[in-house]
Amino acid sequence: MIEYEPVIGLEIHAQLLTATKIFCGCSAAFGAEPNTHICPVCLGLPGALPVLNRAAVDHAIRAALALGCTIHDRSIFARKNYFYPDLPKGYQISQYELPLATRGAVELTRDGQTRRVGITRVHLEEDAGKSLHEGFVDSDRKTYVDYNRSGVPLIEIVTEPDLRSAADAAEFFTRLRALLVWLGVNDGNMEEGSLRCDANVSVRPAGASALGTKAEVKNLNSFRFLEQALAYEIDRQIAELRDGGRIVQETRLWDSAAGRTISMRSKEEAHDYRYFPDPDLPAVAVDAARVRRIQSAMPELPDARRRRFVAAFGLPEYDASQLTQSPAVAEYFERTVAAGAPPKQAANWMMGELARALKDAGADAGSSPLGPAQLAGLIALVEKGTISGSIAKGVFETMFATGRSADDIVAAEGLTQISDESQIAALVADVLATHADAVAQYRAGKTTTFGFLVGQVMKAAGGKANPKRVNDLLKRALEP
Ligand code: ADP
Ligand code: ZN
Ligand code: MG
């Protein structure tokens, strides 16, 4: 039986985080009353002239540079003609022959394997409006259209057919989302449609170099749907070929309820769109100084920061990738270490107690009521042996809830760990006297009783005795 290999390329649409639309001054904000963010330009009324939004171009350049692309000093807006009710002009303004940026690449590491994923192009375009098929009393007969989204700035990112599994594709999309959010060019909100993915997939006999015929699965708006749709589509295509059939080039939709892809239409070709340069818009000129300026304002990217966390702080790979999920988390970590916390301890607290508390409070590292210096203060008390690890968890809760410092809470509540030998020895003596039975059992060889006695000493100490000292002194006292 022939083995088949999947080949996948993605086309991702990302809304650029700008205040206004790409060719007019209307608000680009999500969630307003329908048809309140509209004007003659984004409604495509006759005579209205588009004017390019500079901030959108800067964001697009920033994203393209982070994806390793070459920025072109001259790119062209074209009209992509098709009829659809959500497209009032009858064409979408998009870059076609001369896009803003081309030929980038990113490295994708999954399960210890690194793969290079080529970025074919990054181009600018406008979004269409939104057809509303549900939610009105007469929705069974009518479709409404909201043009607020019409003219919102997008970039389209097209990858080379370099991905080789559904899991690879989902991982790539996940990383790309994190990168765009990190750069501040996209809000990553997939439910609101700020980020959408079309997946192109074909299969070919393993080892073959020619590409098979592809199908395109449109509008996958979650990582899970992307992975499920691709897994289904790969199986479908392989089964079709093994049955002696052939794959037709077409556009398909993911039916998440049924768990399968369904044919939507045969694939349109570029010439169907009658692309031509938009006569209302001059070429987009981007000079080298502008590219340099944007490049030099680029933050350290997540991959680089992850590698630095491993190299400079000796963190395990896993911790480093957790702590570089967002700039706020990475910043918090570095500031905790700068305030004196040992890196691995800082990482443990952040990934454990802090992450949980933030999640419960609906906050994030950037808005944490407990700052890095305070966390470092708590960690220092544990490191010095002033408080035990279990007492520290309680102190953490109080710090998080009240904003007080660890020193303060430990002093006010008398939580300092008891390490003093004579104090602990006295507690041990008391416990041995009141639990003569247990002592006798222990001496008769029932060594499990030891744990019980430790527990009694800790209880007598209000949980504050240094556990190692308790163990040592108890052992000594029990020796015949
Ligand atoms: P189209 O002209 O049909 O839009 P493109 O060549 O522009 O096709 O490619 C669109 C996307 O499809 C890209 O992400 C590309 O990597 C991917 N792609 C192209 N050919 C194949 C193929 N045979 N199998 C899988 N993906 C493909
Ligand atoms: Zn407008
Ligand atoms: Mg194409």
Side-chain angles (χ1 to χ4, degrees), residues 7 9-11 158-161 200-202 211-212 214 249 267:
V7 173
L10 303 179
E11 294 166 285
V158 182
T159 80
E160 291 290 299
N200 297 270
V201 52
S202 62
L211 293 173
K214 72 174 157 73
Q249 176 148 330
K267 168 80 185 171

Side-chain angles (χ1 to χ4, degrees), residues 16-60:
L16 297 171
L17 267 177
T18 54
T20 55
K21 295 186 180 181
I22 185 167
F23 298 120
C24 63
C26 293
S27 167
F30 179 86
E33 278 295 297
N35 299 309
T36 53
H37 295 169
I38 51 173
C39 76
V41 173
C42 54
L43 285 182
L45 300 186
L49 280 178
V51 176
L52 181 58
N53 179 343
R54 170 173 275 273
V57 181
D58 282 344
H59 274 348

Side-chain angles (χ1 to χ4, degrees), residues 85-163:
D86 64 15
L87 192 71
K89 294 194 293 293
Y91 59 86
Q92 178 195 23
I93 304 178
S94 175
Q95 296 190 311
Y96 177 58
E97 267 175 340
L98 284 175
L100 178 78
T102 55
R103 294 194 310 275
V106 292
E107 278 194 351
L108 181 69
T109 305
R110 196 175 66 81
D111 293 344
Q113 292 239 39
T114 299
R115 155 182 313 285
R116 180 187 178 281
V117 181
I119 304 294
T120 314
R121 56 192 275 146
V122 174
H123 73 239
L124 278 158
E125 62 185 31
E126 61 176 346
D127 208 346
K130 193 172 165 45
S131 297
L132 307 169
H133 302 290
E134 286 163 20
F136 298 91
V137 281
D138 48 0
S139 281
D140 57 332
R141 281 164 290 133
K142 288 180 179 168
T143 290
Y144 289 78
V145 195
D146 174 8
Y147 291 111
N148 285 348
R149 207 178 63 181
S150 169
V152 156
L154 304 179
I155 42 173
E156 178 172 336
I157 299 165
V158 182
T159 80
E160 291 290 299
D162 286 344
L163 296 157

Side-chain angles (χ1 to χ4, degrees), residues 141-417:
R141 281 164 290 133
K142 288 180 179 168
T143 290
Y144 289 78
V145 195
D146 174 8
Y147 291 111
N148 285 348
R149 207 178 63 181
S150 169
V152 156
L154 304 179
I155 42 173
E156 178 172 336
I157 299 165
V158 182
T159 80
E160 291 290 299
D162 286 344
L163 296 157
R164 291 290 176 273
S165 69
D168 263 5
E171 180 72 16
F172 176 85
F173 191 27
T174 308
R175 294 288 184 85
L176 181 67
R177 176 182 176 278
L179 177 67
L180 296 174
V181 173
W182 182 286
L183 292 170
V185 303
N186 178 266
D187 68 13
N189 194 328
M190 293 164 66
E191 289 96 71
E192 291 178 1
S194 302
L195 196 62
R196 318 190 282 268
C197 181
D198 302 338
N200 297 270
V201 52
S202 62
V203 297
R204 64 182 172 190
S209 56
L211 293 173
T213 301
K214 72 174 157 73
E216 181 181 13
V217 189
K218 279 267 183 214
N219 270 328
L220 296 160
N221 66 348
S222 84
F223 303 122
R224 201 161 48 90
F225 289 167
L226 173 64
E227 188 162 352
Q228 290 173 342
L230 281 172
Y232 176 89
E233 190 56 25
I234 291 164
D235 286 350
R236 182 190 72 85
Q237 292 187 12
I238 293 174
E240 187 73 49
L241 293 176
R242 288 206 170 127
D243 262 11
R246 58 182 201 91
I247 305 302
V248 284
Q249 176 148 330
E250 63 183 348
T251 301
R252 299 178 70 90
L253 281 182
W254 172 241
D255 179 343
S256 58
R260 60 197 179 92
T261 63
I262 44 178
S263 179
M264 181 164 99
R265 58 171 187 248
S266 68
K267 168 80 185 171
E268 52 293 293
E269 301 288 335
H271 62 247
D272 294 329
Y273 288 118
R274 298 288 192 272
Y275 279 102
F276 65 91
D278 192 310
D280 290 339
L281 284 157
V284 184
V286 177
D287 60 22
R290 183 171 181 189
V291 175
R292 265 197 314 273
R293 182 167 49 72
I294 294 171
Q295 181 77 68
S296 64
M298 189 77 77
E300 185 182 22
L301 299 180
D303 275 348
R305 203 155 191 180
R306 179 171 47 79
R307 284 195 292 268
R308 184 165 62 78
F309 279 11
V310 172
F313 301 121
L315 288 185
E317 221 12 92
Y318 175 81
D319 297 27
S321 80
Q322 292 295 303
L323 295 172
T324 49
Q325 300 282 351
S326 78
V329 170
E331 225 33 71
Y332 192 107
F333 169 74
E334 292 209 60
R335 288 171 56 196
T336 308
V337 173
K344 181 59 184 152
Q345 301 309 319
N348 290 349
W349 277 96
M350 285 188 65
M351 297 186 302
E353 304 300 309
L354 182 65
R356 188 197 39 73
L358 288 172
K359 186 159 178 266
D360 290 349
D364 61 34
S367 62
S368 172
L370 182 123
Q374 286 171 292
L375 181 60
L378 175 64
I379 293 172
L381 292 182
V382 181
E383 290 292 303
K384 279 188 291 191
T386 309
I387 56 174
S388 66
S390 58
I391 291 284
K393 294 201 169 152
V395 175
F396 175 88
E397 298 300 331
T398 311
M399 292 172 78
F400 195 89
T402 63
R404 286 160 62 202
S405 76
D407 286 328
D408 216 38
I409 296 163
V410 168
E413 298 182 16
L415 296 174
T416 303
Q417 179 162 265

